[in-house]
Amino acid sequence: VRVAVLGASGYIGLELVRILLRHPRFELAVVTSEQRAGVRVGEAFPALRGLTDLVFESSAGAAKLGGRAELAFVALPHEISAPRVRDLRKAGLRVLDLSGDFRLRDPAAYARWYGEHHAPELLGEAVYGLPELGREAIPEAQLVAVPGCYPTSALLPLAPFLRAGLVAPSPVIVDSKSGVSGAGRKLDETYLFAELDASVHAYNVGGVHRHVPELEQVASGLAGEPVRVTFVPHLLPIRRGIATSVYAQPRRPLASEEARRVLAEAYAREPFVRVLPAGATPRISSVRGSNFCDVGALVDERTGALVLLSAIDNLVKGGSGQAVQCANLLAGFEETAGLLEAPFLP
Amino acid sequence: VRVAVLGASGYIGLELVRILLRHPRFELAVVTSEQRAGVRVGEAFPALRGLTDLVFESSAGAAKLGGRAELAFVALPHEISAPRVRDLRKAGLRVLDLSGDFRLRDPAAYARWYGEHHAPELLGEAVYGLPELGREAIPEAQLVAVPGCYPTSALLPLAPFLRAGLVAPSPVIVDSKSGVSGAGRKLDETYLFAELDASVHAYNVGGVHRHVPELEQVASGLAGEPVRVTFVPHLLPIRRGIATSVYAQPRRPLASEEARRVLAEAYAREPFVRVLPAGATPRISSVRGSNFCDVGALVDERTGALVLLSAIDNLVKGGSGQAVQCANLLAGFEETAGLLEAPFLP
Amino acid sequence: VRVAVLGASGYIGLELVRILLRHPRFELAVVTSEQRAGVRVGEAFPALRGLTDLVFESSAGAAKLGGRAELAFVALPHEISAPRVRDLRKAGLRVLDLSGDFRLRDPAAYARWYGEHHAPELLGEAVYGLPELGREAIPEAQLVAVPGCYPTSALLPLAPFLRAGLVAPSPVIVDSKSGVSGAGRKLDETYLFAELDASVHAYNVGGVHRHVPELEQVASGLAGEPVRVTFVPHLLPIRRGIATSVYAQPRRPLASEEARRVLAEAYAREPFVRVLPAGATPRISSVRGSNFCDVGALVDERTGALVLLSAIDNLVKGGSGQAVQCANLLAGFEETAGLLEAPFLP
Amino acid sequence: VRVAVLGASGYIGLELVRILLRHPRFELAVVTSEQRAGVRVGEAFPALRGLTDLVFESSAGAAKLGGRAELAFVALPHEISAPRVRDLRKAGLRVLDLSGDFRLRDPAAYARWYGEHHAPELLGEAVYGLPELGREAIPEAQLVAVPGCYPTSALLPLAPFLRAGLVAPSPVIVDSKSGVSGAGRKLDETYLFAELDASVHAYNVGGVHRHVPELEQVASGLAGEPVRVTFVPHLLPIRRGIATSVYAQPRRPLASEEARRVLAEAYAREPFVRVLPAGATPRISSVRGSNFCDVGALVDERTGALVLLSAIDNLVKGGSGQAVQCANLLAGFEETAGLLEAPFLP
């Protein structure tokens, strides 16, 4: 199955290239990049010399991809993504969109958090692509909205508790710490090495991050009642990885052992979610470069609060890996195809 | 005023040495280190060559310090600290203890969290040394219990709200991220560069960290009612610095503006607590190497939760700087003497 | 083909496991670790949970591996390695040894640099496993001495010039900078995060590093005359990667263009050596996690000196990847099997 | 003595501010920044809140500084610096220029390496400000050219050998590794955290770095004959610090012990140059944040090459600290005033 990656020169796009080059069933046929159109991949990114002969194309020609690929991964910024997705759909390609353009079901919510939607007619056909929380609709989907990195890291540990009605819908606190690749290759002083190194700070505090409505939409759907989340993301001086801590209030007293059992049962058959035993906590170093999401749970006996912990690689399970996982389902391949690489250790 | 530093070769001890060498009024007269006894400071730590002729002594001779120093900073591990503090007190020195041995007022609490206390008779005279939350008793104190790094980072932003009864005593969530120097120079695989670099993980989760009872003791005192805290510390791949996020529930709806005003009024005359304006969040890079604690506040309008943020250098305001700040009070010096260094930037 | 990894819990060993788990032809059948014998791999290293059911065994039983594997990778410390290699050879396995035990051909040199050799009778059959400098003997080898990481990084750029007699045999300066995984998981204060982070220093200066005789043995063989190398390794605050600069004096005036052509011709058909064009310099970030060695050359026009630059991942092309490359040759597989992964970017 | 800092918002400028704020004799009276003119220092750099009430001014008004400061530090980019220096000189201020504009004595050399000089009439009065290699002319100077960071790191270990004629003038190899603050706060993809972290690469290879003519000018002056240097700088994933290795050929056989004695004698009375004993190598962590230059020497017994090692903080001894050291001489203060801070450890 031939695939295209639109926006292949960003960090998410490059990780898609990295995964697809080793994938046993997908053939990477087209890569696009506005800034680097006409340049060989290996010339633009010396790391990739010798691994592919592809040349970056402009993504404007998306409509013409009909004959050259069956699937397209779109790793463009939101707002820019939607019109391209429309072109691709018209050209008959099935699409995995990694932007925020098709994650919110409610057009009014999109308008509030992002602005005007440029392909609202496609919102109806978009399927949310978090297989562990619902993979039924994915194989037949024409358009998959690949989840945001933060929602993935918070929803996987939290979902089983919301579904079982074990925690109150409020207050739910999500304190996330992310590596800088999540912000893309942004030319801003904030992201300079000398500014970021050896420092940490919270940003987009106060419920203004665009992952908030996505998180709440999915969480509320799982809980069957409105869930409101206080979300505080932090920037870490590392390239990749997210560590998330979720704090929720159990509806009835819960023991740590029971909390871990809830997770263990929910994910017993999931290849990419690993439930850690008592005493272990998820570490970014254990998932770096892999599609795993490590999760842990415990109850603070003194306060009764449920503490959920997770770690993912934001570029893999938080983006490109998850997209390929969905694409495997779309294409009828083994869901794990090309994704069972061991983490990058040390 | 001549001072001694017991346990001067650990990270906290070395930072004391660094501050005291530049202090305009204190004269560093004695440094001790069991492992390095008999070795010149500059030989043991090439960074300090040419800055002092002091030779590390064994701390066993503490009782004999009577004639050689008036003040002693004790940066020894808990349990080992208490007997030395007793010796020093007997020798007539006033003591600033940086271990956990004199922070808890209740001997039973100490027993529960640390074990048997080796100088329980001194618990009564120990004064908790967080000047911004109560400096009255410090100038006359014979023994100051210098606060833990995490409690300092959480209490400074939280205190004004507890005092004013603006937040509920539960749930209070404290999610802290600390650089590795907080763990000392521990020879454990966890702290090897190749293991820690580019990773983050939570540790001592579930209310088992020894800073929990300290945090709650002070918080409860401020609130006038029992406060229970869910505390989750994380280890960061940086040498110094703590970023803490505190989540609390206001007792009545609170606006972000008002929350910031609460902080601004509380710390208007404090030289070391800097209240950030709207839109700014505390950064470790802004306090690195300094005795500042930067704090910020806001209310998540969607959930009503109060979010408090802080950043300190764990070795300075979270330890050695705070100890010197207290020592300045003890000695009758300007409280800021030797402590108004600009942060290490970049 | 079933393979065993002895010493699988060290950094080099874990990287072998990482590569072999994804290898299309080798089946990882046995892993050993003295410290972790009896423990599941995924229990000892949470990063590997869910990827293998193997349990670490003691390596003492090496002699019994006859029936369980055809090939063995030995990633044990030097001196400990040799007796195990002897056992494995007796049991009929072909061996790839990653220690320094079989790299020096001259037993007297071994004695001088390492000490008494524990299996001197095998020195004769050992083949040096740097395929790009001579792969003829490898396919039939029973014992391959996998090169050291530093020699690999210096010899690949230097070899074509030595072979062609283009540079003088002295002075040759090799200034290398290595990430800390090269030292293994050593419990020593030097390797603590707080000590190493944000610092760099030279070590083993003065021709005392054990890679010196290896470097000179191979370099002299290539040059057909004795080559003496001034080698200065530096420790970098990164986990993986070596950047090496080699300074040599051309025997006749040489232009940068010509120097690059020498490299380009030498490695035109090598899949793992990438010769960079004018203006580009090798970067560790371009080879991280991959088996590539990027090389560049230029002549300082003002001084006439030849400057050669290279970058490798010390755990891959500098160890485990190179070992698997040799093993592919031994087993008659495609030399690149399992090794054409894209670098870890960003 | 009142001082001004022109270009105070760059990394070198901020370090000047940091040092001058604590200086016992200088009073920081004026700071300029084109980008941040009109903004309070503490607003532009939250790290400096509470430490100064100064407001950044435009540097265009330099000519009017006559009445407001006696000394000016100019930390502007080369070419932009020269006209400002002229204005300041006309206004009667003595100037310490940290750009490259006044380091080369020969206008033709400046033209070749930088371009047209904008204040050539001042070249004659400029004094090179490396006190350890010649402080006689500094106290009376009206204009001091503060040396580049790389030349400082290479010249201090090398100078005594050149002066004594102990090494050949060629080949001299200088392999330097620098933290990124040396490049300033440059908005370029190269300096983004995600690009630089965990990587190292050489840049400006082939004798094209502008510090080459400076290095050779001073080295040749010391040697009394033309010295040609092959200089290769590398970029490190750290914020501050330079580690330099110099390789030279002794004119007669030299023992390591003797080499160290040469250094020890040359710097016996220098407060900022620390000669390390046998077995120790300079570390960036030992000089971080300080004005020290640590140096070491040894001879590779096998090759006879002299290996010189050094470490400095590029922003302090490699820039701002050195400038203040010179300014102390200009002002008739103790040369070490404000500069004997202990390194930032850990």
Side-chain angles (χ1 to χ4, degrees):
Chain A
V1 173
R2 291 165 310 165
V3 301
V5 175
L6 275 70
S9 66
Y11 291 149
I12 280 279
L14 283 172
E15 187 69 8
L16 276 165
V17 169
R18 208 171 78 90
I19 296 173
L20 292 167
L21 283 176
R22 74 174 183 236
H23 197 284
R25 309 289 297 274
F26 288 125
E27 181 201 344
L28 184 58
V30 179
V31 290
T32 82
S33 164
E34 297 317 297
Q35 278 194 308
R36 293 167 173 89
V39 183
R40 280 189 177 286
V41 168
E43 211 175 304
F45 298 99
L48 299 175
R49 281 166 62 95
L51 291 167
T52 172
D53 290 328
L54 288 171
V55 176
F56 285 116
E57 308 177 23
S58 161
S59 57
K64 301 166 200 149
L65 289 179
R68 299 171 57 203
E70 286 83 48
L71 274 182
F73 296 90
V74 181
L76 298 168
H78 58 82
E79 296 186 66
I80 291 170
S81 184
R84 291 283 169 256
V85 171
R86 177 192 281 145
D87 294 345
L88 291 163
R89 291 290 304 119
K90 280 191 183 151
L93 283 88
R94 299 170 80 186
V95 177
L96 299 115
D97 181 56
L98 290 100
S99 82
D101 277 356
F102 298 97
R103 293 175 189 155
L104 301 187
R105 281 207 208 99
D106 177 5
Y110 186 90
R112 206 157 49 239
W113 290 88
Y114 290 88
E116 197 197 342
H117 202 289
H118 298 311
E121 77 281 7
L122 294 177
L123 282 173
E125 78 176 59
V127 171
Y128 193 70
L130 190 37
E132 289 83 359
L133 301 190
R135 56 170 58 79
E136 304 72 24
I138 298 176
E140 304 305 319
Q142 300 301 314
L143 170 54
V144 172
V146 183
C149 49
Y150 286 125
T152 297
S153 77
L155 289 168
L156 285 172
L158 185 56
F161 296 91
L162 290 175
R163 267 189 177 143
L166 286 167
V167 293
S170 173
V172 174
I173 312 279
V174 175
D175 187 298
S176 287
K177 301 92 184 162
S178 174
V180 297
S181 61
R185 200 188 288 109
K186 215 174 281 171
L187 257 194
D188 184 297
E189 287 192 1
T190 305
Y191 304 107
L192 291 177
F193 186 93
E195 302 289 324
L196 259 185
D197 181 50
S199 189
V200 168
H201 67 275
Y203 70 100
N204 274 6
V205 187
V208 302
H209 194 288
R210 283 173 175 134
H211 285 176
V212 168
E214 177 186 347
L215 233 173
E216 294 188 345
Q217 168 184 288
V218 182
S220 300
L222 292 162
E225 62 183 321
V227 175
R228 286 282 162 269
V229 177
T230 299
F231 174 57
V232 178
H234 297 75
L235 199 55
L236 294 174
I238 68 177
R239 296 192 311 282
R240 294 172 173 234
I242 291 180
T244 288
S245 304
V246 181
Y247 303 93
Q249 305 299 321
R251 276 189 159 127
R252 59 167 177 76
L254 203 65
S256 289
E257 197 51 47
E258 188 183 351
R260 272 189 296 274
R261 205 160 49 231
V262 168
L263 285 182
E265 283 168 12
Y267 296 120
R269 261 168 294 183
E270 290 297 342
F272 296 123
V273 182
R274 304 188 294 196
V275 181
L276 301 191
T281 54
R283 296 179 177 232
I284 287 175
S285 59
S286 288
V287 299
R288 196 160 46 205
S290 83
N291 200 47
F292 290 114
C293 176
D294 283 1
V295 295
L298 60 83
V299 175
D300 185 318
E301 287 183 23
R302 303 170 49 273
T303 65
L306 175 66
V307 180
L308 302 169
L309 303 167
S310 73
I312 60 170
D313 184 319
N314 58 301
L315 294 182
V316 190
K317 185 61 180 168
S320 306
Q322 185 133 278
V324 172
Q325 188 181 347
C326 292
N328 284 337
L329 290 169
L330 250 64
F333 301 155
E334 187 99 34
E335 188 173 328
T336 56
L339 293 172
L340 279 178
E341 285 285 297
F344 194 69
L345 181 77
Chain B
V1 172
R2 291 165 308 164
V3 301
V5 175
L6 277 71
S9 65
Y11 291 149
I12 280 280
L14 283 172
E15 186 69 7
L16 276 164
V17 169
R18 206 171 78 90
I19 296 173
L20 292 166
L21 283 177
R22 73 174 183 233
H23 197 282
R25 310 289 298 274
F26 288 125
E27 184 202 341
L28 183 57
V30 179
V31 289
T32 82
S33 165
E34 296 318 297
Q35 278 193 307
R36 293 165 173 89
V39 183
R40 281 188 176 284
V41 169
E43 210 174 306
F45 298 98
L48 299 174
R49 281 167 62 94
L51 291 166
T52 173
D53 290 328
L54 289 171
V55 176
F56 285 115
E57 308 177 24
S58 160
S59 58
K64 299 166 201 150
L65 288 179
R68 297 171 59 203
E70 287 82 49
L71 275 182
F73 296 90
V74 181
L76 298 169
H78 58 82
E79 297 187 65
I80 291 170
S81 183
R84 291 283 169 254
V85 171
R86 177 192 280 145
D87 293 345
L88 290 162
R89 291 290 304 118
K90 281 192 183 149
L93 283 87
R94 298 170 80 187
V95 178
L96 299 115
D97 181 57
L98 290 99
S99 82
D101 276 356
F102 298 97
R103 293 176 189 156
L104 302 185
R105 281 206 208 99
D106 176 5
Y110 186 91
R112 204 155 53 238
W113 289 89
Y114 291 88
E116 195 196 344
H117 201 290
H118 299 310
E121 77 282 8
L122 294 178
L123 282 174
E125 79 175 58
V127 171
Y128 193 69
L130 189 39
E132 289 83 359
L133 301 190
R135 56 171 59 77
E136 304 71 25
I138 299 176
E140 303 306 319
Q142 300 301 314
L143 169 55
V144 173
V146 182
C149 49
Y150 287 125
T152 297
S153 77
L155 290 167
L156 284 173
L158 185 55
F161 297 91
L162 290 174
R163 266 187 178 147
L166 286 167
V167 294
S170 174
V172 174
I173 312 280
V174 175
D175 186 298
S176 287
K177 301 92 182 161
S178 174
V180 297
S181 61
R185 199 188 290 109
K186 215 174 282 171
L187 257 194
D188 183 298
E189 286 192 1
T190 304
Y191 303 107
L192 290 178
F193 186 94
E195 302 289 324
L196 258 185
D197 181 50
S199 189
V200 167
H201 67 274
Y203 70 101
N204 274 4
V205 187
V208 302
H209 194 288
R210 281 172 176 137
H211 286 175
V212 168
E214 178 186 347
L215 233 174
E216 293 188 345
Q217 169 184 287
V218 182
S220 300
L222 292 162
E225 62 183 321
V227 175
R228 285 282 162 270
V229 177
T230 299
F231 174 57
V232 177
H234 297 75
L235 199 55
L236 294 173
I238 68 177
R239 299 192 308 282
R240 294 172 173 235
I242 292 180
T244 287
S245 304
V246 181
Y247 303 93
Q249 304 299 319
R251 274 188 161 128
R252 59 167 176 78
L254 203 65
S256 289
E257 198 50 47
E258 188 183 352
R260 272 189 296 274
R261 206 160 48 231
V262 168
L263 286 182
E265 283 168 12
Y267 296 119
R269 262 169 292 183
E270 290 296 343
F272 296 123
V273 182
R274 302 187 295 195
V275 181
L276 300 192
T281 53
R283 295 178 180 235
I284 288 175
S285 59
S286 288
V287 299
R288 195 160 46 205
S290 82
N291 199 48
F292 291 113
C293 176
D294 283 0
V295 295
L298 59 84
V299 175
D300 186 318
E301 289 183 23
R302 302 170 49 274
T303 64
L306 175 67
V307 179
L308 302 169
L309 303 166
S310 73
I312 60 170
D313 184 320
N314 59 300
L315 293 182
V316 190
K317 186 61 181 168
S320 306
Q322 186 134 276
V324 172
Q325 188 181 348
C326 291
N328 284 338
L329 290 169
L330 250 64
F333 300 155
E334 188 100 33
E335 189 174 326
T336 56
L339 293 172
L340 279 177
E341 285 285 298
F344 193 69
L345 179 78
Chain C
V1 172
R2 291 165 309 163
V3 301
V5 175
L6 275 71
S9 67
Y11 291 149
I12 280 280
L14 283 171
E15 186 69 6
L16 277 165
V17 169
R18 208 171 78 90
I19 295 173
L20 292 167
L21 283 176
R22 74 174 184 235
H23 197 283
R25 310 290 297 276
F26 288 124
E27 183 201 343
L28 183 58
V30 180
V31 290
T32 82
S33 165
E34 295 320 295
Q35 278 193 308
R36 293 166 173 88
V39 183
R40 279 188 177 285
V41 169
E43 210 175 304
F45 298 98
L48 298 175
R49 282 166 62 95
L51 290 167
T52 172
D53 290 327
L54 289 170
V55 176
F56 286 115
E57 307 176 25
S58 161
S59 57
K64 300 165 202 150
L65 288 179
R68 297 171 58 204
E70 287 82 48
L71 276 182
F73 296 90
V74 181
L76 298 168
H78 59 83
E79 296 187 66
I80 292 171
S81 184
R84 291 284 169 254
V85 171
R86 176 192 281 144
D87 293 345
L88 290 162
R89 291 291 305 120
K90 282 192 183 150
L93 283 87
R94 299 170 79 186
V95 177
L96 299 114
D97 182 56
L98 290 99
S99 82
D101 277 354
F102 297 98
R103 293 176 189 155
L104 301 186
R105 281 207 208 99
D106 176 5
Y110 186 91
R112 204 157 50 240
W113 289 88
Y114 290 88
E116 194 196 344
H117 202 289
H118 299 311
E121 78 280 9
L122 294 178
L123 282 173
E125 79 175 58
V127 170
Y128 193 69
L130 189 37
E132 289 83 358
L133 301 190
R135 55 170 60 77
E136 304 70 25
I138 299 177
E140 304 306 320
Q142 301 300 314
L143 169 56
V144 173
V146 182
C149 48
Y150 286 125
T152 297
S153 77
L155 290 167
L156 284 173
L158 185 55
F161 297 91
L162 291 174
R163 267 188 178 146
L166 286 167
V167 294
S170 174
V172 174
I173 312 280
V174 176
D175 186 298
S176 288
K177 302 92 183 163
S178 173
V180 298
S181 61
R185 198 188 290 108
K186 215 175 282 172
L187 257 194
D188 183 299
E189 287 192 0
T190 304
Y191 303 107
L192 290 178
F193 186 93
E195 301 290 323
L196 258 186
D197 181 49
S199 190
V200 168
H201 67 274
Y203 70 100
N204 274 5
V205 187
V208 302
H209 194 289
R210 283 172 175 135
H211 286 175
V212 168
E214 177 186 347
L215 234 173
E216 294 188 344
Q217 169 184 289
V218 181
S220 301
L222 292 162
E225 62 183 320
V227 176
R228 284 282 163 268
V229 177
T230 299
F231 174 57
V232 178
H234 297 75
L235 199 55
L236 294 174
I238 68 176
R239 300 192 306 283
R240 294 172 173 234
I242 291 180
T244 287
S245 304
V246 181
Y247 304 93
Q249 305 300 321
R251 276 188 159 129
R252 59 166 175 77
L254 203 65
S256 289
E257 198 51 47
E258 188 183 352
R260 272 189 296 274
R261 206 161 47 232
V262 167
L263 286 182
E265 283 168 11
Y267 296 120
R269 261 168 294 184
E270 289 296 341
F272 295 123
V273 182
R274 302 187 296 195
V275 181
L276 300 191
T281 53
R283 296 178 178 234
I284 287 175
S285 59
S286 288
V287 299
R288 194 160 48 205
S290 82
N291 200 48
F292 290 113
C293 176
D294 283 1
V295 295
L298 59 84
V299 175
D300 186 318
E301 288 183 24
R302 302 169 50 274
T303 64
L306 174 67
V307 180
L308 301 169
L309 304 166
S310 73
I312 59 169
D313 184 320
N314 59 300
L315 293 182
V316 190
K317 186 61 180 168
S320 306
Q322 186 133 278
V324 172
Q325 187 181 348
C326 293
N328 284 337
L329 290 169
L330 251 63
F333 300 154
E334 187 100 33
E335 188 173 327
T336 57
L339 292 173
L340 278 177
E341 284 285 297
F344 193 69
L345 178 78
Chain D
V1 172
R2 291 163 310 164
V3 301
V5 175
L6 275 71
S9 66
Y11 291 149
I12 281 280
L14 284 171
E15 187 69 7
L16 276 165
V17 169
R18 207 171 78 90
I19 295 173
L20 292 167
L21 283 176
R22 74 173 185 235
H23 197 282
R25 310 290 298 274
F26 288 124
E27 181 201 344
L28 183 59
V30 180
V31 290
T32 82
S33 165
E34 297 318 297
Q35 277 193 309
R36 293 167 174 89
V39 183
R40 278 187 179 285
V41 168
E43 211 174 303
F45 298 99
L48 299 175
R49 281 166 63 94
L51 290 167
T52 173
D53 290 327
L54 289 172
V55 177
F56 285 116
E57 307 176 26
S58 160
S59 57
K64 301 166 200 148
L65 289 179
R68 298 170 59 203
E70 286 82 50
L71 274 182
F73 296 90
V74 181
L76 298 168
H78 58 83
E79 296 188 66
I80 291 170
S81 185
R84 292 282 169 256
V85 171
R86 176 192 282 145
D87 294 345
L88 291 163
R89 290 292 303 120
K90 282 191 182 149
L93 283 87
R94 298 170 80 186
V95 177
L96 300 114
D97 181 56
L98 291 99
S99 82
D101 276 356
F102 298 96
R103 293 175 190 155
L104 302 186
R105 283 208 205 98
D106 176 4
Y110 186 90
R112 204 157 49 241
W113 289 89
Y114 291 88
E116 195 196 342
H117 201 289
H118 299 311
E121 77 281 8
L122 294 178
L123 283 173
E125 79 176 60
V127 171
Y128 193 69
L130 189 37
E132 288 84 358
L133 301 190
R135 55 170 60 78
E136 304 70 25
I138 299 176
E140 303 306 319
Q142 300 301 314
L143 169 55
V144 173
V146 182
C149 48
Y150 287 125
T152 298
S153 77
L155 290 168
L156 285 172
L158 184 56
F161 296 92
L162 290 174
R163 267 189 177 145
L166 286 167
V167 293
S170 174
V172 174
I173 311 279
V174 175
D175 186 299
S176 287
K177 301 92 182 162
S178 173
V180 297
S181 61
R185 201 189 287 108
K186 214 174 282 171
L187 257 194
D188 183 299
E189 287 191 1
T190 304
Y191 303 107
L192 291 177
F193 186 93
E195 302 289 325
L196 258 185
D197 181 49
S199 189
V200 168
H201 67 274
Y203 70 101
N204 274 5
V205 187
V208 301
H209 195 288
R210 283 174 175 132
H211 286 175
V212 168
E214 178 186 347
L215 233 173
E216 295 188 345
Q217 169 183 288
V218 182
S220 301
L222 292 162
E225 62 182 319
V227 176
R228 287 282 163 268
V229 177
T230 299
F231 173 57
V232 178
H234 297 74
L235 199 55
L236 294 174
I238 68 176
R239 296 192 310 283
R240 294 172 172 234
I242 292 179
T244 288
S245 305
V246 181
Y247 304 92
Q249 305 299 322
R251 274 189 161 128
R252 58 165 177 79
L254 203 65
S256 289
E257 198 51 49
E258 188 183 352
R260 272 190 296 275
R261 205 162 48 232
V262 168
L263 285 182
E265 283 168 12
Y267 296 119
R269 261 168 293 184
E270 290 296 340
F272 296 123
V273 181
R274 303 187 294 195
V275 181
L276 301 191
T281 54
R283 298 180 176 232
I284 288 175
S285 60
S286 287
V287 298
R288 195 159 47 204
S290 82
N291 200 48
F292 290 113
C293 176
D294 283 1
V295 295
L298 59 83
V299 175
D300 186 318
E301 288 183 24
R302 301 170 48 274
T303 66
L306 174 67
V307 180
L308 302 169
L309 303 167
S310 74
I312 60 170
D313 184 319
N314 58 301
L315 294 182
V316 191
K317 186 61 179 169
S320 306
Q322 185 132 278
V324 172
Q325 188 181 347
C326 292
N328 285 337
L329 290 169
L330 250 63
F333 301 155
E334 187 99 34
E335 189 173 327
T336 56
L339 292 172
L340 279 178
E341 287 285 298
F344 193 69
L345 180 79

